[in-house]
Amino acid sequence: MTTAAPARSGSERHALGAGMALSLSAVITGVAGLVCWVVAAGTLPQEAVGRAASFVSGFVLIAGIAQLNVGLGLLRWLPGAGGRTGWLVGRGYLLVGAAAAVGGVVFVLLPVGRAAAPGMLALLLVVASVCWALFQLQDYVLAGLGRVWWVPLFNGAFGLVRVAVLPVLGAALGAVGVLASWAAPTVVCAAIAGVLITLLARRKRAEPVPADLPDRRTVVSFLGPTYLATIGTTVLYNVVPLIVTARFGPASGAVFFVVWNGLTATDYAINGFVNSMVLRGSGDPEARPAILRAVGKRLGLLVGSGAVAGIALAPLLLGLFGPGYAEEGSIALRILLAGLVARTVVALGVAVRLMDGDGMGAARIQLSGTALVVGGVLLVPAGLHLPGPALGFVLAQVLVGALVVPSLVRRLRGVSR
């Protein structure tokens, strides 16, 4: 009994530190993205911004699908990989890179892909898909290798370079400049991170710790269901704005796109924090209740205070894009922010199941939430306008969160299932 408390306390501290780093990284990436779109809107005609947004949406979608949830697997298994660390990282990079390349080629052959990336831009989209997929994967690899605070440093440098070069490239090259300001820093940062990760993996070879790697059946049983959860999140992030545009027109759709991007940036930050639970809790089953309690308290404080601030400042924040955005989107943004508390409960429920290796349980939560959100956005009365889809999102999170709460309470009491 005397040794359990210090070990548990250490796991809590590691989880909180990793959570802060991954959340900070997600916030930096999200804020940089929003700032770049503000700059693009002030530099280019609306039509050019729309073409650039379609291109970016295309390669981000492909990169997300190509992840195959390999990152979560590396986050779970790298700490015990020992001398096989380099082998595990290399296979992960190869799998994600190949999936992104194939996905990019398929996408540009489709009508929607040809419209988003005509002519020689098709090749750029395939390259951007691969580089962005590897850039996303490196966050998990660095965290799994114990360098979690390198993640916000890389993403911060990436965001600063994007913001700095966008006005110059946008003014000189138009929409192509916007794409170059995104693609070029991605290639450079991914290459630098790849070199550093290779050096870290080589150091692991000399460690006497035997490798503790899962067999193929365990890998498939974990990554398969969790990949379904990833698909649910990808659909949630990308399909909802398209539905809103189809229902309310392109002008209102543009406003909702900005509002929704703010929500997804926050959601990335929440997921970055709870992923630290997967990192620390997977290797320390006895500490899981304490880790859940510590992360839940810290995350609740951060999300709650952030939501209150966002609700108060909604018109000012949207006003950065133009007065029309603030007038039409402030109510919807406030409603979405109010639903973040329930969204946080859902994220904690997913993380607990991933800690346990219950990929199918995590997939059920994510897919049910996505189905309810999409259904709500489709069915809300058109007379509610943009607040309607926002209410659909909040109601879906409340319903799923209510189903997750009992299991979280049991885990906090130390009941494993």
Side-chain angles (χ1 to χ4, degrees):
M1 296 298 293
T2 56
T3 59
R8 185 171 299 178
S9 178
S11 295
E12 293 175 38
R13 288 195 300 270
H14 284 305
L16 290 173
M20 290 296 293
L22 294 174
S23 292
L24 178 61
S25 174
V27 168
I28 290 172
T29 302
V31 170
L34 290 174
V35 170
C36 284
W37 287 117
V38 171
V39 174
T43 306
L44 303 175
Q46 185 173 343
E47 183 179 353
V49 174
R51 290 197 300 269
S54 296
F55 182 96
V56 171
S57 296
F59 79 73
V60 170
L61 175 63
I62 296 303
I65 294 175
Q67 289 300 303
L68 303 175
N69 255 18
V70 170
L72 279 178
L74 293 176
L75 197 65
R76 181 178 176 87
W77 296 314
L78 270 179
R84 301 274 284 174
T85 295
W87 179 89
L88 186 60
V89 171
R91 295 304 185 275
Y93 265 75
L94 182 62
L95 181 59
V96 171
V102 172
V105 170
V106 172
F107 181 77
V108 298
L109 293 177
L110 298 174
V112 64
R114 289 196 296 268
M120 291 302 296
L121 287 180
L123 177 60
L124 179 59
L125 187 140
V126 175
V127 174
S129 298
V130 174
C131 291
W132 189 248
L134 298 181
F135 187 75
Q136 288 182 306
L137 182 64
Q138 78 183 27
D139 292 359
Y140 295 96
V141 175
L142 289 171
L145 292 174
R147 299 296 190 275
V148 68
W149 281 103
W150 289 14
V151 176
L153 292 178
F154 272 106
N155 287 328
F158 169 76
L160 287 175
V161 172
R162 279 182 61 198
V163 173
V165 303
L166 176 56
V168 178
L169 294 178
L173 302 175
V176 176
V178 176
L179 307 181
S181 71
W182 191 307
T186 302
V187 173
V188 174
C189 288
I192 295 174
V195 172
L196 294 176
I197 288 170
T198 300
L199 295 176
L200 290 173
R202 286 180 177 177
R203 289 184 182 180
K204 292 283 188 178
R205 291 180 182 175
E207 293 184 359
V209 180
D212 182 18
L213 295 179
D215 56 28
R216 182 173 299 179
R217 180 177 181 180
T218 302
V219 171
V220 173
S221 64
F222 179 77
L223 295 185
T226 54
Y227 181 58
L228 294 177
T230 299
I231 293 296
T233 303
T234 302
V235 170
L236 178 66
Y237 288 164
N238 294 281
V239 171
V240 170
L242 297 177
I243 296 175
V244 172
T245 299
R247 292 196 64 187
F248 301 105
S252 295
V255 175
F256 191 84
F257 175 80
V258 170
V259 171
W260 191 253
N261 269 359
L263 175 76
T264 56
T266 306
D267 202 50
Y268 276 124
I270 293 173
N271 286 331
F273 207 110
V274 299
N275 279 342
S276 67
M277 293 173 53
V278 181
L279 175 63
R280 297 300 171 186
S282 296
D284 193 356
E286 293 184 359
R288 289 173 187 173
I291 292 174
L292 174 59
R293 187 178 299 108
V295 171
K297 287 181 179 179
R298 182 66 60 87
L299 192 56
L301 177 62
L302 293 174
V303 172
S305 59
V308 170
I311 290 171
L313 299 174
L316 179 62
L317 296 173
L318 291 176
L320 296 173
F321 295 86
Y325 289 88
E327 181 179 353
E328 190 174 359
S330 293
I331 296 177
L333 178 57
R334 284 168 168 160
I335 293 172
L336 289 172
L337 290 174
L340 282 178
V341 175
R343 180 67 178 171
T344 302
V345 173
V346 174
L348 289 170
V350 171
V352 165
R353 283 156 179 79
L354 291 176
M355 276 196 303
D356 296 338
D358 182 13
M360 187 59 72
R364 283 195 294 267
I365 295 174
Q366 291 282 38
L367 291 174
S368 61
T370 297
L372 288 172
V373 171
V374 172
V377 172
L378 286 170
L379 297 176
V380 291
L384 293 176
H385 201 53
L386 296 187
L391 285 171
F393 168 83
V394 173
L395 290 175
Q397 302 311 309
V398 170
L399 287 174
V400 178
L403 296 175
V404 169
V405 165
S407 64
L408 290 178
V409 172
R410 290 196 299 270
R411 303 303 170 87
L412 288 172
R413 292 175 177 174
V415 180
S416 61
R417 292 286 179 181

